[in-house]
Amino acid sequence: MVNTARASVAQQSPGLALRIDNLSHAFSLEGHRLPVLERVSLDVAAGEFVALLGPSGCGKSTLLRLVAGLEPADRGTLLADGVAITSPDPSRVVVFQDPTLYPWRRVWDNVALGLEAQGLLKTTRGKVDQALAKVGLSQFARAYPRQLSGGMAQRVALARALVNEPRLLILDEPLGKLDSLTRIAMQQELIDLWQRQGYTALLVTHDVEEALLLANRVIVFSDRPATIKAELTIDRGYPRHRDDPYLLDLRKQILGLLGLAESW
Amino acid sequence: MSSVELVETGESVNTSTVRLWLQGLVAAAVWIASAALIIWWPNAVRKWPMTQGLANVCLTIAALIVLAVIVGRWSERLARRTQTLGAWLIALPILLSLWELFTAKLGWLPVPFFAPPQALLDVYVEDWPRLADSLLHSAILLGSGVAVGAITGFTAGVAIGWSRSIGYWLHPVLRILGPVPSTALLPLCFFLFPSSWSASVFLIALATWFPVTVLTWSGVSSVDKAYYDVARTLGASQRFLIFKVAIPAALPHVFVGLFMGLGASFSTLVVAEMMGVKSGIGWYLQWAQGWAAYANMYAALLIMALACSGLISALFLIRDRLLAWQQGAMKW
Ligand SMILES: Nc1ncnc2c1ncn2[C@@H]1O[C@H](COP(=O)(O)OP(=O)(O)OP(=O)(O)O)[C@@H](O)[C@H]1O
Ligand SMILES: [Mg+2]
């Protein structure tokens, strides 16, 4: 079921194939070298949904920043469809951990940011309205970010990313701040959009269940410096059910890998 | 207990709307009393012209207040506006009466140095062409200087905040030249520049330039780096990052700089007019003092206070317009 969906997606290939090869990265913190990523290799097929799990501070956000092209990697190769990633590109859009909306722009103008920056806004204004409708915030188009709740702001950030029709959607705990009801709705929305548009998705999350509900594959990272500890393929179609024994079993495995076997 | 408090606050809200017109009527009565004092209490030192005129002004104000009281019963907007003014409308005629008493009526304050209010009124009626002309010249000089200073300051601030190499060259200039009081450069500029007018424009511009530059710079460099990350991943160019991210984010700082710059420009303007440019309100002040025309001096000072305050208010209006997205910004 998943495979057929992915096959049809691959024909139009709206997704982007990502290759991470032997990637290492370090920061300098008060004069000390702080290794954050250690020889990370990962291939993500076009149209695949990959979830990254790992302890806090292990380097997941750093990996996403490198993939986005916001910083050059110390060592290793990053290829998007075979082309080296050297700078940010609107085909690879990030939804950051914080919504970081521009407080001086109304919600509508925040969502329109990418199209405006690329000089496409004049011909694509309808897309902004659609993206706002998708996240259920059409009513708040004229509001300022300060007038939104935390969850609403995060939904605006999601709309701001989706409106660019990215080929790789990079999600850094985008649902972390949402209440559980909105979160379930947004998870459903992400899956629907992904199935419809066929982008490649890279999702960092702290929520094992979320990873299992959304992803084709889950990558578990070790503590800092992050190395890949395990890879699990989730062979289940959508929609998935959180009480599926197969998923519950995987969840137990992953929690074990994260050193949390007891808390299950 | 808390319910009792609630009831009480509820009542006080009610009475405050009733008190409005009472306060207005009291204010009108006090203005009328002031007019009576001005007319019927004989002048002590000499017979001031415009004494009747001043009383008429008081009566006119009283009439306007009564009108506001009547209209305010129908127009809630007007009522809310005048409500906050109520106490001041009572205090003003009292202060005016005291001033009138100490100068014209009792002669306690030495006469040539302290002018009674009707003398000021006389100046406005007799000398308004010259005052208006001075005000115009000041406005042109100040406008030119502040415009040059604000535009160059803003540009310099953005450039220093954005570009390391521009910062390398501009930063020392800013540090050495900026803190110097621009009036200290006055003698130098008067012989370096072709005219005293252009020298004054330069000095006013300099006084405005420094705070605008520093605060624009600080605004641009304190922009959250995450804002740039967002725009960059969405395909923004450098130009977009400067004009659509850095500058809007820095605007609150820029306005603080503009307020400080405008304040500094006022004092530079007055000194420049007194020292070199033979026109404008500053020059009028000095001329009046030279002829011991103290009433003229007070009259000019009052105009100047109103004009400067008006300019600051205008800047606040512009700021409120541009920074409507800010929450709870300070109200002028
Ligand atoms: N700009 C920076 N300079 C120095 N150190 C940094 C910088 N950015 C991140 N780090 C360090 O790199 C490590 C990994 O950070 P990162 O944000 O990638 O963690 P994370 O896995 O996303 O954590 P979390 O799940 O809590 O968001 C942290 O120890 C952090 O202190
Ligand atoms: Mg993170």
Side-chain angles (χ1 to χ4, degrees), chain A residues 27-29 34 36 54-63 97 172-173 206 224:
Chain A
F27 289 110
S28 69
L29 199 67
L34 183 77
V36 175
S56 176
C58 75
K60 304 179 297 291
S61 294
T62 307
L63 178 65
Q97 222 164 338
D172 195 351
E173 295 181 42
H206 274 146
R224 194 185 56 241

Side-chain angles (χ1 to χ4, degrees), chain A residues 171-244:
Chain A
L171 301 154
D172 195 351
E173 295 181 42
L175 311 182
K177 288 196 175 145
L178 301 184
D179 65 284
S180 49
L181 288 178
T182 317
R183 184 195 301 223
I184 291 170
M186 292 304 295
Q187 285 168 348
Q188 192 53 52
E189 189 60 43
L190 274 178
I191 281 297
D192 288 351
L193 282 167
W194 170 67
Q195 288 188 314
R196 235 178 302 143
Q197 304 192 347
Y199 50 74
T200 309
L202 207 53
L203 168 79
V204 165
T205 176
H206 274 146
D207 183 351
V208 179
E209 194 172 80
E210 182 171 287
L212 291 171
L213 283 175
L214 301 182
N216 298 137
R217 194 144 54 105
V218 176
I219 313 287
V220 181
F221 284 102
S222 70
D223 218 335
R224 194 185 56 241
T227 54
I228 294 182
K229 207 171 179 180
E231 267 191 55
L232 297 93
T233 305
I234 301 166
D235 205 3
R236 271 288 188 276
Y238 303 89
R240 293 174 180 168
H241 300 283
R242 40 200 85 220
D243 42 9
D244 182 340

